[in-house]
Amino acid sequence: LRLLSYGYSDPFQFNEGNEFNVLEWLDTFNSHTGALDLLTSAWAAVLGGGWPVFKQVLLVSRKLRDRLADENAFPAIQERANECDMLDTPEDVSYRVQMREASEKGEIVPAGTHWAALYKLHGCPVGRATALLAVALDTIRTRDMYQGSLKDPHNFVYTIISAAQDAVSSFIRSKPNWSAYWDLLTTEWPIWDLLSELSCISSDRSCSTRSALRCYDAMRRERVP
């Protein structure tokens, strides 16, 4: 519920003035929501839990990027470049733009594109995490494979999602403080879009742990929503 107040209203509403820095905003954000602490939990468990955590984080990310587009509105944080995106090579940027555009249009990028990206990406680890999550989502939607028990370390979908979190964790550990979370929340990589799609928050679509839930119509002899 606290995340809702950030995702559906001004994400800077609890900070005084407009001269606060990234760490000050993160402190306030986490004290109100506990979201940064929650993101250290196993993503596979959060995805299967049924709570729309990643959906709300996606909304917060969109709000932040929208507000940061207001020129000179928050000088202390706007002058700081995103330290994830700035690591990306031209090939990384090309894949990132393709993924962002596909996400905004509701289009599906072929699985082969993600596998090729995993070989070619050399920039921010969040890019590799994005490609891994895209592979997991494609596996679920096209092969009807799901993550299953969290006690099964050999499950393919579970392994891919865990590897994505490990990639993000490596980026977070590279910073002396939790400023990396600001980069995660404001990155151009559509990582939150994918995590939201993987979340089990609606019965009418496939998610990380199950297929879409449908009833069987005996008269029509087919499954229906």
Side-chain angles (χ1 to χ4, degrees), residues 22-23 25-26 36 39 57 61 64-65 68 77 79-88 96 100 124-127 130 168 171-192:
V22 165
L23 291 177
W25 184 85
L26 289 169
L36 303 186
L39 291 178
V57 174
S61 175
L64 286 174
R65 294 194 296 115
L68 291 176
I77 57 176
E79 66 184 16
R80 180 188 182 278
N82 187 291
E83 295 182 1
C84 169
D85 295 351
M86 67 188 298
L87 297 174
D88 292 336
R96 188 178 76 199
R100 173 65 66 184
C124 181
V126 177
T130 299
V168 171
F171 175 68
I172 293 173
R173 290 193 300 268
S174 70
K175 305 297 180 182
N177 48 47
W178 59 7
S179 62
Y181 283 104
W182 175 260
D183 299 311
L184 284 173
L185 289 170
T186 59
T187 183
E188 289 295 326
W189 287 104
I191 185 168
W192 304 115

Side-chain angles (χ1 to χ4, degrees), residues 21-38:
N21 59 35
V22 165
L23 291 177
E24 290 170 337
W25 184 85
L26 289 169
D27 283 336
T28 302
F29 176 64
N30 197 52
S31 67
H32 278 82
T33 67
L36 303 186
D37 296 322
L38 183 60

